Each structure stands twice: as structure tokens, then as C-alpha cells.
Amino acid sequence: MHDLIIIGSGPAGYTAAIYAARAKLEPIVLASSVTAGGDLMTTTEVENFPGFPEAIQGPDLMFQMQQQAERFGADVRLDDVTELELDGPVKRVHVGDQVLEARTIIFATGSAYRRLGLEDEDRLSGHGVSWCATCDGFFFREKKLVVVGGGDSAMEEAQFLTKFASSVTIVHRSEQFRASEIMLERARNNEKISFVMNAKVTAIHGDSQVSGVELTDTVTGETSELEVDGVFVAIGSDPRTHLIHNQLELTAEGTIAVDGRSSRTSVEGVFAAGDVIDPTYRQAVTAAASGTVAALDAEHFLAAAKDVTPVSTH
């Protein structure tokens, strides 16, 4: 019987592990064999995480967080969770044929940016292809950029990128936008922003760095080339909640619902942190702060229940 199992890594999971391990909870971190470290594992320079004035590579930051958690006693395992049983005082986590039992769970599986599904999209990730303007916009000073999308997030990304880029072209597959009128009007009034409508990006060009994109007209099927230095994909993201469907309450945005500013979910003893509860900010530093909250909430929950020892029914 373990006090705490943390499912997921990244800034939220590893920060929760640091706090929990320092509180002597001896947490197990199931970091995944595929997405261990989260989205920062595919990021190059991180310049906006406090404490690194000269920037740090995303994988290096995640490795240092993992080492810090392990230094205090966290047990980090590159295992994949296949099933969860969250009802009752004993939570069961299935990892293949193995079943782990714990008094508390922190769910920190993050979210996944939606991809365009293009052949060179992942290859050029971190080399001109990005899903986060606030993370990477600084590296595109005086560059020509494309933002793909038609919602509020695409308009916000484009507006933000004009602080650095020489020009931003918003590419949208139709003439109807999902963005609110006020966000759309702001983008239209920005002299650095132009629009290509009824078009979709069907190829990304570049050897070691993005050099351009292929656009296909969604009405005529005709193709054209656009010379750009970067592609920002802003077509949304999906919280990784497939393991807890029908077990935890979700919000309208599909994130895990928590009680106010806490990390408490709809099931007692289960907490959530990071991008899996955050449809808005989705930054490494906010995820880390959320992981802190979850660890403290779990610690307080265990302290309050210290006189009651759950007994497994299996």
C-alpha cells in the first residue's frame, strides 16, 4: 500500500513528486514510456522558466526536475497505466499485469496539441514548427510566420507573434471563423497580420529549419507556395483524460474538474494538476505551481486520515 501515486510527469507531475517526496510520502511517479517529461521534451530553448537566465533546453529542464524528485526519494518509473479503479479508499492502478494500490492519486497527464498530420510536422518541431507562441515567439524576431487556425487561440497567437515577427499570415480553411468578433477584429486591425482563407497547409518545407509551406485551396484544390520561417499550429488541444472517463467529473472544455483553486477532483483522494485541468494558460510554470497545490492537498488529505487505515478488498 502506497501513500501516493502520481500519474504523468512533466512540470506538474515532477513538481508534485518533489513536494510529496520532501514530505516523506515516498511517491511513485508513473511517467509513461512514451510521453515521459511532457511536451517540454520536444522543446528546444526554454527562456521563460524562472531560475535559468541563460535559457535551458526543454529535455534538460525535465531531466533536472526528475533528478530533483528522485533525490528526495520519489520512485520514477517509465511505465504506462492501462486502467484505473478510483472508487473507495483504496485506489488501484493497473500497469500491465501489475496492480499498484495507493491511498491517494495525483493525475498529471497533461494535454496533447492537435497536429496537422503532415509528414514533416514532427520532424521540424522545435525547428520552425511550434504549438505555443508564448513559448517560442521570441525566437522569431523579424521573421515571416504562419498561424494555422480560426479560433480565438489562433487570433491570440497571431497578435502575440506580431511583437516579434515582421509579418504573420493566418491560414484558415474557410471564410467562417470560430473566433469571437472582438478577437477577429483585433487581428484584422493589426497591420502585421494578413489572412489567407479557404486554404489549408498541406506540406511544410525545410531541411533543418522551416523554409515555407504549401497551401491548398479548399474550394478549387489549387496549390501555392508561401515562403515563411515558422509555422504556429493553433487548432486546439485535447486533455489526456482517456483513463478516467466516467470516473471523474469533467468540465465543458474536457479538462478534469477541480474544486475552486484546489486540486481536489470529484472523487475523494484523487487530485489533478497541470494542463489536464487548465484549458487556458498551459505554461510550464503554471503547471509546476499546480503540481505544488496537488502535492500539498494530497499531504493534507493523508494527514487528516492518518488514524484510518484503508483495507484492500482484494
Side-chain angles (χ1 to χ4, degrees), residues 78-129:
L78 302 181
D79 291 330
D80 298 307
V81 177
T82 54
E83 185 183 348
L84 291 173
E85 298 177 55
L86 301 179
D87 286 339
V90 177
K91 319 302 178 186
R92 295 179 182 84
V93 181
H94 295 250
V95 181
D97 294 332
Q98 184 183 16
V99 179
L100 303 175
E101 294 186 336
R103 296 178 174 87
T104 59
I105 298 286
I106 292 177
F107 208 72
T109 52
S111 63
Y113 290 110
R114 293 174 189 160
R115 261 54 174 174
L116 296 173
L118 302 179
E119 182 178 352
D120 294 311
E121 185 176 10
D122 287 333
R123 179 179 67 83
L124 291 170
S125 172
H127 300 278
V129 176

Side-chain angles (χ1 to χ4, degrees), residues 34-35 38-40 42 108-116 121-122 130-132 233-242 253-255 274-279 282:
V34 179
T35 58
D39 288 336
L40 286 185
T42 60
T109 52
S111 63
Y113 290 110
R114 293 174 189 160
R115 261 54 174 174
L116 296 173
E121 185 176 10
D122 287 333
S130 175
W131 290 264
C132 179
V233 182
I235 55 177
S237 63
D238 298 305
R240 295 188 179 99
T241 57
H242 61 283
E253 293 88 356
T255 55
D275 287 359
V276 79
I277 68 170
D278 177 13
R282 298 172 44 78

Side-chain angles (χ1 to χ4, degrees), residues 104-164:
T104 59
I105 298 286
I106 292 177
F107 208 72
T109 52
S111 63
Y113 290 110
R114 293 174 189 160
R115 261 54 174 174
L116 296 173
L118 302 179
E119 182 178 352
D120 294 311
E121 185 176 10
D122 287 333
R123 179 179 67 83
L124 291 170
S125 172
H127 300 278
V129 176
S130 175
W131 290 264
C132 179
T134 53
C135 306
D136 301 326
F138 179 81
F139 304 110
F140 291 88
R141 289 187 177 276
E142 299 305 316
K143 301 294 186 181
K144 298 178 181 177
L145 304 178
V146 156
V147 172
V148 183
D152 278 349
S153 61
M155 304 304 136
E156 290 175 6
E157 298 269 287
Q159 286 273 92
F160 181 83
L161 289 169
T162 59
K163 296 179 180 181
F164 312 102

Side-chain angles (χ1 to χ4, degrees), residues 211-235:
S211 60
V213 295
E214 175 190 81
L215 301 180
T216 299
D217 191 298
T218 57
V219 178
T220 66
E222 295 179 357
T223 61
S224 60
E225 300 292 327
L226 183 63
E227 193 175 303
V228 295
D229 304 295
V231 178
F232 283 78
V233 182
I235 55 177

Side-chain angles (χ1 to χ4, degrees), residues 3-279:
D3 277 332
L4 172 63
I5 292 177
I6 299 169
I7 300 172
S9 46
Y14 284 148
T15 303
I18 291 167
Y19 272 77
R22 291 184 76 249
K24 305 300 182 185
L25 300 184
E26 299 180 342
I28 291 176
V29 182
L30 300 175
S32 170
S33 64
V34 179
T35 58
D39 288 336
L40 286 185
M41 295 299 290
T42 60
T43 301
T44 51
E45 288 190 335
V46 178
E47 292 193 318
N48 55 2
F49 199 89
F52 298 93
E54 301 302 322
I56 184 172
Q57 296 290 308
D60 291 339
L61 176 60
M62 289 298 92
F63 183 60
Q64 289 189 32
M65 284 190 179
Q66 178 183 339
Q67 285 184 310
Q68 190 174 0
E70 290 175 328
R71 173 193 164 202
F72 292 117
D75 180 2
V76 178
R77 306 180 185 181
L78 302 181
D79 291 330
D80 298 307
V81 177
T82 54
E83 185 183 348
L84 291 173
E85 298 177 55
L86 301 179
D87 286 339
V90 177
K91 319 302 178 186
R92 295 179 182 84
V93 181
H94 295 250
V95 181
D97 294 332
Q98 184 183 16
V99 179
L100 303 175
E101 294 186 336
R103 296 178 174 87
T104 59
I105 298 286
I106 292 177
F107 208 72
T109 52
S111 63
Y113 290 110
R114 293 174 189 160
R115 261 54 174 174
L116 296 173
L118 302 179
E119 182 178 352
D120 294 311
E121 185 176 10
D122 287 333
R123 179 179 67 83
L124 291 170
S125 172
H127 300 278
V129 176
S130 175
W131 290 264
C132 179
T134 53
C135 306
D136 301 326
F138 179 81
F139 304 110
F140 291 88
R141 289 187 177 276
E142 299 305 316
K143 301 294 186 181
K144 298 178 181 177
L145 304 178
V146 156
V147 172
V148 183
D152 278 349
S153 61
M155 304 304 136
E156 290 175 6
E157 298 269 287
Q159 286 273 92
F160 181 83
L161 289 169
T162 59
K163 296 179 180 181
F164 312 102
S166 59
S167 68
V168 177
T169 302
I170 296 176
V171 176
H172 185 46
R173 60 189 175 185
S174 75
E175 294 182 356
Q176 304 300 317
F177 290 88
R178 290 175 288 106
S180 61
E181 281 300 321
I182 188 169
M183 293 301 300
L184 190 56
E185 194 63 25
R186 286 175 184 170
R188 285 172 171 161
N189 289 338
N190 191 313
E191 61 183 13
K192 284 190 174 183
I193 296 177
S194 60
F195 290 80
V196 177
M197 295 175 286
N198 291 327
K200 59 182 180 179
V201 175
T202 47
I204 301 173
H205 304 310
D207 295 326
S208 59
Q209 191 73 25
V210 168
S211 60
V213 295
E214 175 190 81
L215 301 180
T216 299
D217 191 298
T218 57
V219 178
T220 66
E222 295 179 357
T223 61
S224 60
E225 300 292 327
L226 183 63
E227 193 175 303
V228 295
D229 304 295
V231 178
F232 283 78
V233 182
I235 55 177
S237 63
D238 298 305
R240 295 188 179 99
T241 57
H242 61 283
L243 287 170
I244 52 85
H245 276 195
N246 302 319
Q247 295 195 70
L248 297 181
E249 181 182 340
L250 301 179
T251 67
E253 293 88 356
T255 55
I256 296 176
V258 293
D259 181 14
R261 296 186 62 186
S262 80
S263 65
R264 296 186 297 272
T265 71
S266 56
V267 173
E268 190 175 64
V270 179
F271 307 89
D275 287 359
V276 79
I277 68 170
D278 177 13

